[in-house]
Each structure stands twice: as C-alpha cells, then as structure tokens.
Amino acid sequence: MKLCVDLGATNVKSSLISDGKIIRSALTPTITDRGIEGVTESLRKSIDKLMNGDVSAVCISSAGTIDSAEGKVIYATDNLPGYTGFEIVRWVKERYGVPCAALNDGHAALLGEIFLDPALRESRTAMLTLGSGVGGAYAVRGKIKADESNDYARFGHLPVEKDGILCNCGRRGCAEQYLSGRAINRMAAKEGIGTDKLFEEYASGNPTAQKIVARLREYLCVLLREVEKTSPFDVCILGGGVTDGMKETFDAFIAGIPCDIRRAKAGNAAGMLGAYYFGKDL
Ligand SMILES: [Zn+2]
C-alpha cells in the first residue's frame, strides 16, 4: 500500500492506494503564511492522517518545479513561500523511514491519465491543463519527457500570437494569455459574457459566445502545432477547470481539429494516481 500526496497552494490531498484503488482519502489546508514551516506542517498533517504500518512508500505530486532525481523543489512561486530548495524526499524519508518519490503535479496528472488508460503506455502523449494557468506535460511510452529539448514541457508558454499579450514570463503571446481560465474570462467579459459562463452561452447558441469559442479553437490549433515541434505526440489530453467547464460542449469544441484529442478522466485524483504510478517500483 502506498500513501500518495498531492501538494498544492490551497490544500494537500492525500490517499492510501492499494492495487491501484483509492482506499481512504484526506484533505488538509495548506498553510502559506509561515514560510516553509507552514508548508511542512501541512504536509506532515496530510501524511499523519493516513500513515499506518502497511504503507511501503510515500509518493508525492507537488506544485512547483521538482527535480525528481534529487528529490528536491527547484522552484516554487510565492504561492508556496519558502518552498524553493526544500528537500522533500529526504524530509519524508527521515521522518517516516519509508522510500519516497516526488514529481511535478502537471507531470503527475499526465501519469494519472496513463495509469488509467494502459493503451497510452505505448504512445507519445501530450497534456494541456487549462486551469488558472496553462500547464503542460509530455510522456513517451509511459515515461515523462521534460528536459531542455522541449523546455521542460512548459507548453503554456509557447507562442500562439505574434507580438501578443505580455505574459508574466516576460515573453509575448504565450498560450497562457489566451487559453487559461483567467484569459478566457477576460475575453468573454469584453463581449458582455459573465465569469465562467462562456461555454454555457456557447451551448445555448449565443452567437457572440460561438465567435469567441471559434477563436479559442484557433489558438488551441496553433498551440498544438507548436507543441508538435518539440514534443511530437499521438494523443493530446485536455484537462483542467476550463475543460471541465466545457461539459457536453467538449466534442463540439474539438471538432475539426486534426489531432487525437481526449478529455482527462482522472479528475481530482489525477495527481495522486500519477504519483502512485511514478513510484510503482519503490
Ligand atoms: Zn509566458
């Protein structure tokens, strides 16, 4: 049995997973106002709630840039203050005396999908997570491939518009400025459509919404072509809150895009299932 953790800036999810099945889960708010002390306290609580003598390893999906080989947080934004540099794997091993593995949550989400669909273990799979930002991940035959050759699969910062909107990464026209939930809401608001209402309006046939959705589809097509240049894929999985919000309009949204696009299936448990799959040999 493995204890799997998904550490984010809002909360820490944890689950006991045995033979690929989630047995028990817990939710712990992330303390973000006391630096690394707060983050480790949240992590400790999330593990302590479920730890028992049958746990053979702890597998962690985490926000931030994670060096899995070193078991260390290379970079985290101010959403998780003090987290940069944290040796998360060593911390868990020393405290609990069990093996531990950690990886980035975007990569874990893709591995979660691969875990649920064994056919993907034979293919090259890209993932785009359209949430408050745009996350990316890429795997070849079931293994994450994120290195200098594909800019660590940071697909949200590939360009979709020349001289476009300035991104917080310093470049212009990044996908994140057009396809994230925030960007979509901004676009919709300009046309008088309420927050998170675009796909509802699209479903009910609102012509303004249809126009915006057609533009989003074009941006997605450009992004997919950019992804293909460094990370050629057979299947692209779309996940994240924006994708969830498409509800029954998903098929209409992707209609006509000349790629095998699928919707993410793992939902809330994606990170933990991916961490479980990542740590399968521990
Ligand atoms: Zn950017």
Side-chain angles (χ1 to χ4, degrees):
M1 176 185 306
K2 296 200 165 74
L3 201 161
C4 301
V5 174
D6 188 356
L7 192 155
T10 311
N11 48 52
V12 188
K13 294 177 218 145
S14 48
S15 286
L16 289 173
I17 305 184
S18 179
D19 292 328
K21 297 267 180 297
I22 295 177
I23 313 270
R24 254 183 81 196
S25 298
L27 193 67
T28 310
T30 309
I31 302 165
T32 54
D33 58 0
R34 284 198 275 123
I36 189 63
E37 299 300 322
V39 179
T40 51
E41 186 182 326
S42 317
L43 177 60
R44 182 180 57 72
K45 280 186 182 161
S46 77
I47 295 175
D48 288 353
K49 284 177 184 172
L50 300 174
M51 186 49 97
N52 67 61
D54 294 330
V55 170
S56 60
V58 173
C59 309
I60 300 175
S61 151
S62 171
T65 308
I66 311 297
D67 182 332
S68 294
E70 296 286 325
K72 194 173 159 182
V73 181
I74 299 292
Y75 175 76
T77 65
D78 289 341
N79 290 338
L80 287 167
Y83 196 45
T84 299
F86 180 49
E87 295 188 61
I88 189 164
V89 165
R90 197 170 86 176
W91 186 90
V92 169
K93 281 182 180 167
E94 284 179 0
R95 179 169 283 268
Y96 297 98
V98 292
C100 176
L103 80 164
N104 162 266
D105 52 5
H107 298 171
L110 172 52
L111 288 185
E113 298 299 325
I114 289 171
F115 173 68
L116 291 181
D117 184 354
L120 293 177
R121 292 170 208 172
E122 302 306 317
S123 79
R124 300 170 300 172
T125 314
M127 183 166 185
L128 294 170
T129 304
L130 312 180
S132 48
V134 173
Y138 181 60
V140 176
R141 300 181 73 86
K143 281 208 164 57
I144 292 295
K145 188 171 186 296
D147 52 33
E148 282 168 6
S149 74
N150 63 356
D151 191 24
Y152 299 90
R154 298 180 331 125
F155 300 147
H157 297 281
L158 288 170
V160 297
E161 187 150 276
K162 200 167 180 288
D163 301 324
I165 300 169
L166 183 64
C167 182
N168 49 20
C169 74
R171 287 179 281 192
R172 283 190 178 275
C174 292
E176 185 157 293
Q177 299 305 320
Y178 297 86
L179 288 165
S180 65
R182 218 170 285 166
I184 292 170
N185 278 330
R186 195 173 51 211
M187 237 179 271
K190 271 192 204 155
E191 308 284 345
I193 293 172
T195 303
D196 296 338
K197 290 279 182 270
L198 177 66
F199 286 96
E200 250 171 63
E201 292 293 324
Y202 173 62
S204 65
N206 176 335
T208 309
Q210 285 174 337
K211 216 176 65 196
I212 299 172
V213 169
R215 236 163 75 206
L216 296 179
R217 187 185 295 114
E218 275 171 39
Y219 285 130
L220 179 62
C221 285
V222 176
L223 176 56
L224 290 168
R225 283 199 294 273
E226 287 295 321
V227 169
E228 182 75 28
K229 287 180 189 168
T230 61
S231 310
F233 59 88
D234 307 303
V235 176
C236 179
I237 295 172
L238 287 188
V242 171
T243 310
D244 294 342
M246 290 179 194
K247 298 195 177 117
E248 72 281 4
T249 68
F250 180 80
D251 290 337
F253 175 66
I254 62 160
I257 299 178
C259 301
D260 184 349
I261 299 182
R262 301 181 198 170
R263 189 177 206 155
K265 294 177 192 164
N268 250 338
M272 290 180 289
L273 290 174
Y276 174 80
Y277 184 63
F278 183 69
K280 62 187 183 304
D281 298 326
L282 289 180

